[in-house]
Each structure stands twice: as C-alpha cells, then as structure tokens.
Amino acid sequence: MNEHDAYMADFMKVFETLEYWGPGSEFDTQKALSLVPLTPSSILEIGCGKGLSTKVLAQYSEASITAVDNEQSALDRLTQRFDQLSISNRLNTVNASMTELPFDDGSFDLIWSEGSAYIMGVENALDQWQQFLSEQGYLVLSDMLWHTDAPSKPAIDFWQQEYPDMQSVPTRIGQMEKADYRVIEHFQMSEQAWSNYYAPLRARVSELKPQMPSSSALNDIQHEVDICSNFSQEFGYHFFILQKDASQ
Ligand SMILES: C[S@@+](CC[C@H](N)C(=O)[O-])C[C@H]1O[C@@H](n2cnc3c(N)ncnc32)[C@H](O)[C@@H]1O
C-alpha cells in the first residue's frame, strides 16, 4: 500500500462507524426544506453520505429521491435505512462522481447538497448542477463559512490548508447571484448540527489513538476537531436556499 492509500484507509477506518459525515441535524434539514417554496416531486441529493438528511427529505416530502455518492459503503447504509422504514420504493441510489452526473437536463425540481459542494468547489457546483434543475427549480446547499473578518491565526492556518476557498456569507451570496440563482433564504446551522458531527468524531479519534498512534490521517482529523472546538465562533456551517433564476 502506498502512502496515499494508507492515509485513505486510515481515514475510512475513522469514519466507517460514524453516521454523520459532516455537520447536520434533522432540525436543520427540515427547516431548510420548509423554506423551499415548492412541493418537490423529484429530489437529487448529491454527496448523501449515509443518508441521515436523505431520511429527513423522505419523511417531510412525497418526492422520489435520487441519492448520489461515490462511496458505496455509505450508499449501502442509506439503502438499509430506507429498507428499515419500508420506503425504498422512493429511493434510487447512484454511485457516481458529483462532477460527472449521469442525468438528463432538467430532471429534478430540487437539488440537495449538505456539506459536499465544497469538494468540487462551490462555484463549480453552482455552475455544473444548474443544468439538472427544471425551470425555476431549487438548489439547497450547506457550506462552511467565515463568521468574522478577523479570524485567529490557528484557524486561518488550518483552513488555508483544508478549505482555501472558504468565504464570508456576503461573498458566497454574491457568487450565487452571479451564477444566476436567486437567494431565497439562508441561515446559520444550529449548534446541534455541529456537535452531531464533532462529538462522535472526537470520541472515535480517542478510541483509535492507542491502535494508530502514528497515523497521519488520525492526527489530521484530531487537529480539525481541536480547531473546530477552540475557534467554533469564528466559522461554521450555513444553509442556502436558491432558485434557478429563469430571468437571466
Ligand atoms: C462531508 S461528507 C457529507 C456527507 C453527508 N451529506 C452528511 O452530511 O453526512 C461528503 C460526502 O461526499 C462524498 N463524496 C466525496 N467526493 C465525492 C465525489 N467526487 N462525488 C460524489 N460524492 C463524493 C463522500 O463520500 C461523502 O459522503
């Protein structure tokens, strides 16, 4: 195994037992869905992970849901979740890359992305995903953003490495409007969403530390957990409810 493969194997070992793969909560997903001024009939969720948000979308809508991720183990967990609720008839899982989505133009009236658009770059995602929306369809996404103009040095150093495209809320909104979306609503995600992700992640790192004392992946994740605990008032996750702007 080369160094990169070993890093990724350790990374997956940390996350395999965790349900949330990014900050999120039922409350925040349901709040964002309630702000979409449409009764969706077809939802595309991109970067669905193990499907905790997918489950909320299914429970609070009647839509058929296409859930995309490129990690098969996550899609398998999502399928199991829907089977347990006997709602698998409304779910289609697709193992694909978010940069090469195998769908026809205009196929969905709502696209949902929690904590995943940053992977291909939010501006890229805004641009590339728009074609899959029906006329005046909606895009809902969450993203990590700066909440201060003067962050602390450790926070700057960390995010410069991990997410150099992290922006302020007004800058992101400007990019969304430039990409031909109307910003219908936006809100800062709850503290519960933050702790749903970081509390189990911290516990998992502590559990694995004795077995993997020199793992770079584990050390990097530990560093993220520390930064996100110590400087959490300087940045955080934000939800945006956008509408494809047909007037452009
Ligand atoms: C930060 S996690 C968020 C997962 C989930 N939305 C949640 O909040 O728990 C990002 C997700 O994107 C998936 N992913 C990473 N790169 C991808 C790609 N190129 N195409 C599709 N999915 C990808 C990962 O497997 C992971 O499930």
Side-chain angles (χ1 to χ4, degrees):
M1 207 186 279
N2 66 31
E3 207 175 314
H4 175 259
D5 290 348
Y7 187 96
M8 291 315 295
D10 283 1
F11 189 85
M12 278 313 291
K13 186 169 176 63
V14 175
F15 282 94
E16 68 191 1
T17 61
L18 301 179
E19 291 293 308
Y20 279 103
W21 281 4
S25 77
E26 176 167 342
F27 170 82
D28 289 275
T29 301
Q30 203 244 317
K31 178 175 171 182
L33 184 62
S34 74
L35 293 170
V36 176
L38 165 87
T39 304
S41 57
S42 52
I43 301 176
L44 169 63
E45 187 180 4
I46 300 172
C48 59
K50 290 185 175 179
L52 283 165
S53 46
T54 326
K55 184 182 92 163
V56 178
L57 296 176
Q59 285 172 329
Y60 290 92
S61 82
E62 311 234 306
S64 63
I65 301 175
T66 300
V68 171
D69 206 283
N70 69 351
E71 174 53 49
Q72 188 58 44
S73 66
L75 294 174
D76 292 344
R77 176 72 183 104
L78 163 60
T79 302
Q80 182 192 46
R81 208 184 283 293
F82 272 57
D83 283 346
Q84 279 163 355
L85 294 167
S86 305
I87 52 172
S88 299
N89 58 328
R90 289 174 51 204
L91 177 71
N92 175 29
T93 58
V94 178
N95 186 333
S97 170
M98 63 176 73
T99 58
E100 289 171 47
L101 293 170
F103 307 115
D104 293 336
D105 286 1
S107 299
F108 303 96
D109 49 22
L110 176 59
I111 295 180
W112 202 271
S113 157
E114 291 198 27
S116 71
Y118 80 94
I119 291 165
M120 62 187 281
V122 171
E123 286 184 283
N124 256 337
L126 291 168
D127 182 38
Q128 289 189 31
W129 296 349
Q130 194 171 99
Q131 64 189 294
F132 303 113
L133 282 175
S134 58
E135 208 175 316
Q136 297 184 22
Y138 291 85
L139 168 60
V140 175
L141 65 83
S142 67
D143 184 32
M144 182 81 96
L145 294 167
W146 289 113
H147 290 158
T148 171
D149 293 337
S152 307
K153 187 167 181 325
I156 297 174
D157 291 347
F158 176 76
W159 290 115
Q160 198 59 51
Q161 281 292 318
E162 296 302 317
Y163 188 19
D165 184 38
M166 202 157 112
Q167 304 290 346
S168 65
V169 175
T171 301
R172 236 355 147 219
I173 286 177
Q175 293 172 344
M176 289 163 170
E177 289 171 344
K178 193 164 162 235
D180 297 340
Y181 291 89
R182 285 199 311 128
V183 179
I184 304 291
E185 276 283 359
H186 61 96
F187 63 91
Q188 190 175 327
M189 283 170 70
S190 65
E191 283 183 23
Q192 184 66 53
W194 196 251
S195 61
N196 280 348
Y197 177 58
Y198 283 110
L201 187 55
R202 176 182 288 285
R204 179 73 174 150
V205 168
S206 302
E207 178 195 346
L208 290 175
K209 200 82 191 164
Q211 297 169 39
M212 304 161 68
S214 52
S215 161
S216 331
L218 197 68
N219 287 337
D220 288 351
I221 294 167
Q222 165 98 65
H223 187 42
E224 172 172 346
V225 171
D226 290 343
I227 292 284
C228 289
S229 304
N230 297 338
F231 301 96
S232 63
Q233 69 289 0
E234 298 185 2
F235 50 82
Y237 259 78
H238 211 84
F239 249 121
F240 295 90
I241 291 88
L242 311 174
Q243 184 178 27
K244 180 173 168 176
D245 190 349
S247 68
Q248 300 299 313

PDB file of all heavy atoms in Angstrom, residues 122-147:
ATOM      1  N   VAL A 122     -17.587  25.310  -4.587  1.00  0.00           N
ATOM      2  CA  VAL A 122     -18.988  25.738  -4.597  1.00  0.00           C
ATOM      3  C   VAL A 122     -19.340  26.425  -5.917  1.00  0.00           C
ATOM      4  O   VAL A 122     -20.403  26.174  -6.502  1.00  0.00           O
ATOM      5  CB  VAL A 122     -19.286  26.649  -3.378  1.00  0.00           C
ATOM      6  CG1 VAL A 122     -20.669  27.272  -3.490  1.00  0.00           C
ATOM      7  CG2 VAL A 122     -19.171  25.842  -2.090  1.00  0.00           C
ATOM      8  N   GLU A 123     -18.451  27.269  -6.428  1.00  0.00           N
ATOM      9  CA  GLU A 123     -18.777  27.966  -7.680  1.00  0.00           C
ATOM     10  C   GLU A 123     -18.923  26.973  -8.842  1.00  0.00           C
ATOM     11  O   GLU A 123     -19.807  27.123  -9.691  1.00  0.00           O
ATOM     12  CB  GLU A 123     -17.706  29.009  -7.999  1.00  0.00           C
ATOM     13  CG  GLU A 123     -17.815  30.231  -7.102  1.00  0.00           C
ATOM     14  CD  GLU A 123     -16.817  31.294  -7.498  1.00  0.00           C
ATOM     15  OE1 GLU A 123     -15.628  31.118  -7.167  1.00  0.00           O
ATOM     16  OE2 GLU A 123     -17.230  32.270  -8.139  1.00  0.00           O
ATOM     17  N   ASN A 124     -18.059  25.972  -8.872  1.00  0.00           N
ATOM     18  CA  ASN A 124     -18.182  24.925  -9.895  1.00  0.00           C
ATOM     19  C   ASN A 124     -19.501  24.191  -9.781  1.00  0.00           C
ATOM     20  O   ASN A 124     -20.162  23.898 -10.779  1.00  0.00           O
ATOM     21  CB  ASN A 124     -17.088  23.863  -9.667  1.00  0.00           C
ATOM     22  CG  ASN A 124     -15.984  23.981 -10.645  1.00  0.00           C
ATOM     23  OD1 ASN A 124     -16.178  24.528 -11.720  1.00  0.00           O
ATOM     24  ND2 ASN A 124     -14.828  23.463 -10.275  1.00  0.00           N
ATOM     25  N   ALA A 125     -19.849  23.842  -8.537  1.00  0.00           N
ATOM     26  CA  ALA A 125     -21.097  23.109  -8.296  1.00  0.00           C
ATOM     27  C   ALA A 125     -22.294  23.952  -8.736  1.00  0.00           C
ATOM     28  O   ALA A 125     -23.210  23.449  -9.402  1.00  0.00           O
ATOM     29  CB  ALA A 125     -21.206  22.739  -6.820  1.00  0.00           C
ATOM     30  N   LEU A 126     -22.282  25.235  -8.390  1.00  0.00           N
ATOM     31  CA  LEU A 126     -23.390  26.124  -8.790  1.00  0.00           C
ATOM     32  C   LEU A 126     -23.549  26.106 -10.305  1.00  0.00           C
ATOM     33  O   LEU A 126     -24.661  26.065 -10.838  1.00  0.00           O
ATOM     34  CB  LEU A 126     -23.101  27.558  -8.334  1.00  0.00           C
ATOM     35  CG  LEU A 126     -23.141  27.836  -6.827  1.00  0.00           C
ATOM     36  CD1 LEU A 126     -22.538  29.208  -6.530  1.00  0.00           C
ATOM     37  CD2 LEU A 126     -24.566  27.741  -6.297  1.00  0.00           C
ATOM     38  N   ASP A 127     -22.430  26.122 -10.981  1.00  0.00           N
ATOM     39  CA  ASP A 127     -22.431  26.175 -12.439  1.00  0.00           C
ATOM     40  C   ASP A 127     -22.869  24.823 -13.044  1.00  0.00           C
ATOM     41  O   ASP A 127     -23.793  24.758 -13.844  1.00  0.00           O
ATOM     42  CB  ASP A 127     -21.005  26.557 -12.872  1.00  0.00           C
ATOM     43  CG  ASP A 127     -20.907  26.678 -14.368  1.00  0.00           C
ATOM     44  OD1 ASP A 127     -21.868  27.181 -14.960  1.00  0.00           O
ATOM     45  OD2 ASP A 127     -19.884  26.250 -14.933  1.00  0.00           O
ATOM     46  N   GLN A 128     -22.204  23.746 -12.610  1.00  0.00           N
ATOM     47  CA  GLN A 128     -22.426  22.442 -13.269  1.00  0.00           C
ATOM     48  C   GLN A 128     -23.761  21.796 -12.923  1.00  0.00           C
ATOM     49  O   GLN A 128     -24.305  21.041 -13.711  1.00  0.00           O
ATOM     50  CB  GLN A 128     -21.299  21.478 -12.902  1.00  0.00           C
ATOM     51  CG  GLN A 128     -19.980  21.846 -13.547  1.00  0.00           C
ATOM     52  CD  GLN A 128     -18.947  20.744 -13.329  1.00  0.00           C
ATOM     53  OE1 GLN A 128     -19.263  19.575 -13.236  1.00  0.00           O
ATOM     54  NE2 GLN A 128     -17.695  21.141 -13.234  1.00  0.00           N
ATOM     55  N   TRP A 129     -24.276  22.034 -11.711  1.00  0.00           N
ATOM     56  CA  TRP A 129     -25.506  21.343 -11.299  1.00  0.00           C
ATOM     57  C   TRP A 129     -26.763  22.025 -11.836  1.00  0.00           C
ATOM     58  O   TRP A 129     -27.820  21.411 -11.894  1.00  0.00           O
ATOM     59  CB  TRP A 129     -25.580  21.252  -9.771  1.00  0.00           C
ATOM     60  CG  TRP A 129     -24.483  20.424  -9.154  1.00  0.00           C
ATOM     61  CD1 TRP A 129     -23.598  19.605  -9.817  1.00  0.00           C
ATOM     62  CD2 TRP A 129     -24.133  20.337  -7.772  1.00  0.00           C
ATOM     63  NE1 TRP A 129     -22.740  19.017  -8.930  1.00  0.00           N
ATOM     64  CE2 TRP A 129     -23.039  19.448  -7.658  1.00  0.00           C
ATOM     65  CE3 TRP A 129     -24.643  20.912  -6.601  1.00  0.00           C
ATOM     66  CZ2 TRP A 129     -22.451  19.126  -6.425  1.00  0.00           C
ATOM     67  CZ3 TRP A 129     -24.057  20.603  -5.375  1.00  0.00           C
ATOM     68  CH2 TRP A 129     -22.976  19.713  -5.299  1.00  0.00           C
ATOM     69  N   GLN A 130     -26.627  23.286 -12.251  1.00  0.00           N
ATOM     70  CA  GLN A 130     -27.823  24.038 -12.650  1.00  0.00           C
ATOM     71  C   GLN A 130     -28.570  23.359 -13.801  1.00  0.00           C
ATOM     72  O   GLN A 130     -29.794  23.395 -13.874  1.00  0.00           O
ATOM     73  CB  GLN A 130     -27.426  25.465 -13.036  1.00  0.00           C
ATOM     74  CG  GLN A 130     -28.626  26.369 -13.129  1.00  0.00           C
ATOM     75  CD  GLN A 130     -28.257  27.835 -13.296  1.00  0.00           C
ATOM     76  OE1 GLN A 130     -28.286  28.334 -14.393  1.00  0.00           O
ATOM     77  NE2 GLN A 130     -27.921  28.509 -12.221  1.00  0.00           N
ATOM     78  N   GLN A 131     -27.819  22.716 -14.716  1.00  0.00           N
ATOM     79  CA  GLN A 131     -28.460  22.083 -15.885  1.00  0.00           C
ATOM     80  C   GLN A 131     -29.450  20.992 -15.494  1.00  0.00           C
ATOM     81  O   GLN A 131     -30.381  20.695 -16.241  1.00  0.00           O
ATOM     82  CB  GLN A 131     -27.384  21.490 -16.799  1.00  0.00           C
ATOM     83  CG  GLN A 131     -26.605  20.357 -16.147  1.00  0.00           C
ATOM     84  CD  GLN A 131     -25.409  19.893 -16.947  1.00  0.00           C
ATOM     85  OE1 GLN A 131     -25.557  19.368 -18.018  1.00  0.00           O
ATOM     86  NE2 GLN A 131     -24.217  20.094 -16.396  1.00  0.00           N
ATOM     87  N   PHE A 132     -29.251  20.375 -14.324  1.00  0.00           N
ATOM     88  CA  PHE A 132     -30.119  19.261 -13.924  1.00  0.00           C
ATOM     89  C   PHE A 132     -31.428  19.727 -13.286  1.00  0.00           C
ATOM     90  O   PHE A 132     -32.308  18.926 -13.003  1.00  0.00           O
ATOM     91  CB  PHE A 132     -29.372  18.320 -12.959  1.00  0.00           C
ATOM     92  CG  PHE A 132     -28.089  17.794 -13.550  1.00  0.00           C
ATOM     93  CD1 PHE A 132     -26.852  18.150 -13.031  1.00  0.00           C
ATOM     94  CD2 PHE A 132     -28.127  16.979 -14.674  1.00  0.00           C
ATOM     95  CE1 PHE A 132     -25.674  17.690 -13.605  1.00  0.00           C
ATOM     96  CE2 PHE A 132     -26.952  16.509 -15.261  1.00  0.00           C
ATOM     97  CZ  PHE A 132     -25.719  16.866 -14.725  1.00  0.00           C
ATOM     98  N   LEU A 133     -31.528  21.044 -13.060  1.00  0.00           N
ATOM     99  CA  LEU A 133     -32.745  21.587 -12.445  1.00  0.00           C
ATOM    100  C   LEU A 133     -33.800  21.888 -13.495  1.00  0.00           C
ATOM    101  O   LEU A 133     -33.479  22.399 -14.582  1.00  0.00           O
ATOM    102  CB  LEU A 133     -32.427  22.893 -11.706  1.00  0.00           C
ATOM    103  CG  LEU A 133     -31.755  22.771 -10.341  1.00  0.00           C
ATOM    104  CD1 LEU A 133     -31.416  24.173  -9.819  1.00  0.00           C
ATOM    105  CD2 LEU A 133     -32.652  22.032  -9.348  1.00  0.00           C
ATOM    106  N   SER A 134     -35.046  21.626 -13.155  1.00  0.00           N
ATOM    107  CA  SER A 134     -36.146  22.050 -14.013  1.00  0.00           C
ATOM    108  C   SER A 134     -36.204  23.584 -13.997  1.00  0.00           C
ATOM    109  O   SER A 134     -35.560  24.227 -13.159  1.00  0.00           O
ATOM    110  CB  SER A 134     -37.455  21.464 -13.493  1.00  0.00           C
ATOM    111  OG  SER A 134     -37.631  21.888 -12.157  1.00  0.00           O
ATOM    112  N   GLU A 135     -37.001  24.146 -14.890  1.00  0.00           N
ATOM    113  CA  GLU A 135     -37.099  25.605 -14.957  1.00  0.00           C
ATOM    114  C   GLU A 135     -37.540  26.139 -13.594  1.00  0.00           C
ATOM    115  O   GLU A 135     -38.520  25.632 -13.022  1.00  0.00           O
ATOM    116  CB  GLU A 135     -38.139  25.970 -16.017  1.00  0.00           C
ATOM    117  CG  GLU A 135     -37.863  27.303 -16.650  1.00  0.00           C
ATOM    118  CD  GLU A 135     -38.836  27.565 -17.774  1.00  0.00           C
ATOM    119  OE1 GLU A 135     -39.077  26.641 -18.569  1.00  0.00           O
ATOM    120  OE2 GLU A 135     -39.353  28.676 -17.820  1.00  0.00           O
ATOM    121  N   GLN A 136     -36.832  27.102 -13.096  1.00  0.00           N
ATOM    122  CA  GLN A 136     -37.108  27.696 -11.783  1.00  0.00           C
ATOM    123  C   GLN A 136     -37.043  26.687 -10.635  1.00  0.00           C
ATOM    124  O   GLN A 136     -37.699  26.865  -9.602  1.00  0.00           O
ATOM    125  CB  GLN A 136     -38.456  28.416 -11.791  1.00  0.00           C
ATOM    126  CG  GLN A 136     -38.442  29.564 -12.781  1.00  0.00           C
ATOM    127  CD  GLN A 136     -39.712  30.391 -12.769  1.00  0.00           C
ATOM    128  OE1 GLN A 136     -40.455  30.408 -11.812  1.00  0.00           O
ATOM    129  NE2 GLN A 136     -39.950  31.094 -13.845  1.00  0.00           N
ATOM    130  N   GLY A 137     -36.269  25.608 -10.825  1.00  0.00           N
ATOM    131  CA  GLY A 137     -36.072  24.634  -9.753  1.00  0.00           C
ATOM    132  C   GLY A 137     -35.189  25.211  -8.649  1.00  0.00           C
ATOM    133  O   GLY A 137     -34.631  26.307  -8.778  1.00  0.00           O
ATOM    134  N   TYR A 138     -35.069  24.452  -7.554  1.00  0.00           N
ATOM    135  CA  TYR A 138     -34.374  24.945  -6.364  1.00  0.00           C
ATOM    136  C   TYR A 138     -33.114  24.126  -6.065  1.00  0.00           C
ATOM    137  O   TYR A 138     -33.087  22.907  -6.283  1.00  0.00           O
ATOM    138  CB  TYR A 138     -35.297  24.896  -5.148  1.00  0.00           C
ATOM    139  CG  TYR A 138     -36.420  25.901  -5.265  1.00  0.00           C
ATOM    140  CD1 TYR A 138     -37.581  25.588  -5.966  1.00  0.00           C
ATOM    141  CD2 TYR A 138     -36.301  27.169  -4.715  1.00  0.00           C
ATOM    142  CE1 TYR A 138     -38.609  26.519  -6.108  1.00  0.00           C
ATOM    143  CE2 TYR A 138     -37.315  28.114  -4.852  1.00  0.00           C
ATOM    144  CZ  TYR A 138     -38.467  27.775  -5.548  1.00  0.00           C
ATOM    145  OH  TYR A 138     -39.452  28.701  -5.694  1.00  0.00           O
ATOM    146  N   LEU A 139     -32.114  24.827  -5.566  1.00  0.00           N
ATOM    147  CA  LEU A 139     -30.885  24.181  -5.102  1.00  0.00           C
ATOM    148  C   LEU A 139     -30.689  24.574  -3.633  1.00  0.00           C
ATOM    149  O   LEU A 139     -30.698  25.770  -3.313  1.00  0.00           O
ATOM    150  CB  LEU A 139     -29.689  24.659  -5.937  1.00  0.00           C
ATOM    151  CG  LEU A 139     -28.293  24.315  -5.418  1.00  0.00           C
ATOM    152  CD1 LEU A 139     -28.073  22.800  -5.310  1.00  0.00           C
ATOM    153  CD2 LEU A 139     -27.208  24.920  -6.333  1.00  0.00           C
ATOM    154  N   VAL A 140     -30.549  23.574  -2.773  1.00  0.00           N
ATOM    155  CA  VAL A 140     -30.277  23.838  -1.363  1.00  0.00           C
ATOM    156  C   VAL A 140     -28.908  23.249  -1.041  1.00  0.00           C
ATOM    157  O   VAL A 140     -28.658  22.071  -1.323  1.00  0.00           O
ATOM    158  CB  VAL A 140     -31.361  23.189  -0.467  1.00  0.00           C
ATOM    159  CG1 VAL A 140     -31.012  23.360   1.007  1.00  0.00           C
ATOM    160  CG2 VAL A 140     -32.722  23.800  -0.765  1.00  0.00           C
ATOM    161  N   LEU A 141     -28.036  24.075  -0.481  1.00  0.00           N
ATOM    162  CA  LEU A 141     -26.715  23.541  -0.117  1.00  0.00           C
ATOM    163  C   LEU A 141     -26.243  24.128   1.208  1.00  0.00           C
ATOM    164  O   LEU A 141     -26.641  25.228   1.599  1.00  0.00           O
ATOM    165  CB  LEU A 141     -25.696  23.763  -1.237  1.00  0.00           C
ATOM    166  CG  LEU A 141     -25.281  25.167  -1.643  1.00  0.00           C
ATOM    167  CD1 LEU A 141     -24.192  25.735  -0.736  1.00  0.00           C
ATOM    168  CD2 LEU A 141     -24.748  25.143  -3.079  1.00  0.00           C
ATOM    169  N   SER A 142     -25.384  23.365   1.869  1.00  0.00           N
ATOM    170  CA  SER A 142     -24.733  23.893   3.076  1.00  0.00           C
ATOM    171  C   SER A 142     -23.232  23.952   2.828  1.00  0.00           C
ATOM    172  O   SER A 142     -22.677  23.149   2.071  1.00  0.00           O
ATOM    173  CB  SER A 142     -25.052  23.044   4.316  1.00  0.00           C
ATOM    174  OG  SER A 142     -24.477  21.765   4.214  1.00  0.00           O
ATOM    175  N   ASP A 143     -22.615  24.934   3.502  1.00  0.00           N
ATOM    176  CA  ASP A 143     -21.200  25.210   3.239  1.00  0.00           C
ATOM    177  C   ASP A 143     -20.574  25.805   4.504  1.00  0.00           C
ATOM    178  O   ASP A 143     -21.243  26.494   5.276  1.00  0.00           O
ATOM    179  CB  ASP A 143     -21.124  26.222   2.075  1.00  0.00           C
ATOM    180  CG  ASP A 143     -19.709  26.525   1.622  1.00  0.00           C
ATOM    181  OD1 ASP A 143     -18.842  25.636   1.701  1.00  0.00           O
ATOM    182  OD2 ASP A 143     -19.477  27.664   1.151  1.00  0.00           O
ATOM    183  N   MET A 144     -19.294  25.546   4.694  1.00  0.00           N
ATOM    184  CA  MET A 144     -18.549  26.132   5.822  1.00  0.00           C
ATOM    185  C   MET A 144     -18.120  27.549   5.444  1.00  0.00           C
ATOM    186  O   MET A 144     -17.518  27.744   4.379  1.00  0.00           O
ATOM    187  CB  MET A 144     -17.312  25.270   6.091  1.00  0.00           C
ATOM    188  CG  MET A 144     -16.482  25.722   7.251  1.00  0.00           C
ATOM    189  SD  MET A 144     -17.150  25.163   8.805  1.00  0.00           S
ATOM    190  CE  MET A 144     -16.164  23.694   9.049  1.00  0.00           C
ATOM    191  N   LEU A 145     -18.409  28.527   6.313  1.00  0.00           N
ATOM    192  CA  LEU A 145     -18.121  29.927   6.000  1.00  0.00           C
ATOM    193  C   LEU A 145     -17.500  30.639   7.201  1.00  0.00           C
ATOM    194  O   LEU A 145     -17.716  30.260   8.345  1.00  0.00           O
ATOM    195  CB  LEU A 145     -19.434  30.643   5.627  1.00  0.00           C
ATOM    196  CG  LEU A 145     -20.091  30.143   4.341  1.00  0.00           C
ATOM    197  CD1 LEU A 145     -21.504  30.670   4.233  1.00  0.00           C
ATOM    198  CD2 LEU A 145     -19.293  30.556   3.125  1.00  0.00           C
ATOM    199  N   TRP A 146     -16.752  31.701   6.877  1.00  0.00           N
ATOM    200  CA  TRP A 146     -16.206  32.548   7.937  1.00  0.00           C
ATOM    201  C   TRP A 146     -17.319  33.405   8.543  1.00  0.00           C
ATOM    202  O   TRP A 146     -18.146  33.946   7.805  1.00  0.00           O
ATOM    203  CB  TRP A 146     -15.131  33.497   7.385  1.00  0.00           C
ATOM    204  CG  TRP A 146     -13.850  32.820   7.000  1.00  0.00           C
ATOM    205  CD1 TRP A 146     -13.360  32.689   5.737  1.00  0.00           C
ATOM    206  CD2 TRP A 146     -12.892  32.216   7.870  1.00  0.00           C
ATOM    207  NE1 TRP A 146     -12.153  32.027   5.763  1.00  0.00           N
ATOM    208  CE2 TRP A 146     -11.836  31.721   7.064  1.00  0.00           C
ATOM    209  CE3 TRP A 146     -12.819  32.027   9.259  1.00  0.00           C
ATOM    210  CZ2 TRP A 146     -10.731  31.062   7.598  1.00  0.00           C
ATOM    211  CZ3 TRP A 146     -11.716  31.364   9.785  1.00  0.00           C
ATOM    212  CH2 TRP A 146     -10.684  30.898   8.962  1.00  0.00           C
ATOM    213  N   HIS A 147     -17.287  33.527   9.874  1.00  0.00           N
ATOM    214  CA  HIS A 147     -18.244  34.402  10.557  1.00  0.00           C
ATOM    215  C   HIS A 147     -17.576  35.655  11.099  1.00  0.00           C
ATOM    216  O   HIS A 147     -18.206  36.423  11.808  1.00  0.00           O
ATOM    217  CB  HIS A 147     -18.914  33.650  11.714  1.00  0.00           C
ATOM    218  CG  HIS A 147     -19.848  32.586  11.253  1.00  0.00           C
ATOM    219  ND1 HIS A 147     -20.225  31.526  12.030  1.00  0.00           N
ATOM    220  CD2 HIS A 147     -20.478  32.408  10.064  1.00  0.00           C
ATOM    221  CE1 HIS A 147     -21.054  30.746  11.356  1.00  0.00           C
ATOM    222  NE2 HIS A 147     -21.210  31.250  10.161  1.00  0.00           N
TER     223      HIS A 147
END
